[in-house]
Amino acid sequence: MSTSELHVQRLAHALGAEVAGIDLSRPLDADVVKEIRDLFHEHQVLFFRDQHIDDVAHRDFAVHFGPLQRFAFLSPVSESVPEVHAIDIDPTKPKTANSDIWHSDATFLARPPLGSMLRAVILPDVGGDTLWASMYAAYDALSSRMQRLLDGMTAVHDSSNSVSHARNAVNADFQPTSHPVVRTHPVTGRKALFVNKIFTTRIEGLTDRENDALLPMLTDHVRSPDFQVRFRWEPGSIALWDNRCTQHYAVADYASRRRMHRVVIDGDEPV
Ligand code: SIN
């Protein structure tokens, strides 16, 4: 497949593009992979439709973006493809995930994931969309005075607020870790706000009172629709996002089972 066959449609101003003209069930030429990697860095989250692929093809596509994790916090769907795990939610049962809180994945790790790739497997009749927000746009929208205050600050990230991660993290002895509040993307060089509601527990060097005023303001800043794109899943839909400069939110407005398969791409560097 030559690069010219790809068709790219932006879905929002801040981030997100749908890529058509590609068949992810087949091996991809190096020039196509390069083009998709460039699109990934440009648009932060890419969407693919009508890709009825299995777990092996899912893994084989994601590995073009970096080594995959055997994600320690969710069970693999099978021992033959241990990199793929399920986020399977039955809304009639007790809550097993915090995906309906804005977050980037596993920022409590010393090297948080570079990105993730999510595939729809079972969808409710209606609802269950996912939103992504550009943390470049969130940073850019802050006043220059606030940007100057935050540049150089660090914050603690901890798994203990997450219903799905906390117990496994405790078992594996994961300690809270510290990351810059503003991170610079290693490929684009752009600055992104890097605090989130699930895992960021405090900004270092502030009094309790200062932290209690500033941290919620920053973690809530992501809620502005100006920074967001919303994706409606269909059978065969896939999303691939950059965890270094986006957050996401799975809308929990559905009444029947929703099962997604996901792979997590290893962090490329400490933040
Ligand atoms: C996630 O939080 O990684 C999953 C998002 C979703 O299920 O839509």
Side-chain angles (χ1 to χ4, degrees):
M1 178 189 298
S2 80
T3 53
S4 59
E5 289 176 52
L6 292 184
H7 178 73
V8 181
Q9 184 175 11
R10 289 178 66 193
L11 299 186
H13 183 76
L15 80 170
E18 199 167 306
V19 181
I22 188 166
D23 178 357
L24 298 182
S25 69
R26 295 168 50 189
L28 301 175
D29 289 348
D31 58 345
V32 177
V33 171
K34 168 151 188 351
E35 193 178 3
I36 295 173
R37 244 197 245 121
D38 290 345
L39 291 170
F40 175 69
H41 292 132
E42 181 181 350
H43 298 290
Q44 308 159 56
V45 53
L46 298 180
F47 304 107
F48 304 87
R49 293 209 183 266
D50 303 317
Q51 304 290 336
H52 298 277
I53 60 173
D54 61 12
D55 293 321
V56 172
H58 184 164
R59 177 198 62 195
D60 291 351
F61 177 54
V63 85
H64 290 302
F65 298 85
L68 305 182
Q69 278 186 14
R70 187 174 170 148
F71 198 62
F73 311 98
L74 293 167
S75 306
V77 292
S78 75
E79 277 312 313
S80 58
V81 199
E83 302 88 349
V84 181
H85 51 265
I87 300 173
D88 195 336
I89 296 183
D90 179 344
T92 64
K93 301 212 168 114
K95 194 168 182 183
T96 54
N98 284 127
S99 302
D100 58 341
I101 300 174
W102 279 104
H103 66 286
S104 14
D105 290 329
T107 59
F108 56 88
L109 297 175
R111 285 189 344 160
L114 178 155
S116 297
M117 183 174 160
L118 190 69
R119 181 174 119 243
V121 176
I122 298 173
L123 292 172
D125 291 342
V126 66
D129 295 356
T130 307
L131 288 86
W132 280 263
S134 168
M135 301 315 290
Y136 297 144
Y139 176 78
D140 291 346
L142 296 170
S143 66
S144 54
R145 280 203 169 235
M146 181 57 74
Q147 290 175 344
R148 280 202 300 278
L149 175 72
L150 300 179
D151 282 334
M153 280 183 154
T154 54
V156 176
H157 295 241
D158 186 342
S159 62
S160 55
N161 280 344
S162 160
V163 291
S164 57
H165 295 28
R167 179 174 310 155
N168 289 329
V170 168
N171 291 344
D173 199 22
F174 278 103
Q175 299 300 319
T177 191
S178 171
H179 297 304
V181 170
V182 177
R183 82 180 284 186
T184 302
H185 194 287
V187 177
T188 65
R190 293 184 66 186
K191 287 184 175 181
L193 188 61
F194 198 67
V195 289
N196 70 85
K197 190 107 180 170
I198 299 187
F199 299 122
T200 314
T201 51
R202 86 166 281 126
I203 298 176
E204 293 173 297
L206 299 185
T207 65
D208 286 352
R209 200 162 170 202
E210 290 165 345
N211 180 67
D212 293 350
L214 186 57
L215 184 57
M217 187 280 283
L218 294 176
T219 56
D220 282 351
H221 187 49
V222 65
R223 294 157 73 108
S224 166
D226 297 4
F227 314 146
Q228 298 173 9
V229 63
R230 181 172 182 139
F231 186 63
R232 174 156 302 167
W233 296 95
E234 293 169 350
S237 296
I238 287 174
L240 169 69
W241 66 90
D242 191 331
N243 202 51
R244 299 164 293 188
C245 56
T246 66
Q247 291 191 29
H248 53 282
Y249 179 106
V251 183
D253 63 344
Y254 48 95
S256 62
R257 190 172 167 205
R258 177 181 185 273
R259 181 181 173 92
M260 314 295 277
H261 284 192
R262 192 179 72 168
V263 298
V264 171
I265 305 159
D266 254 341
D268 48 348
E269 56 169 28
V271 173

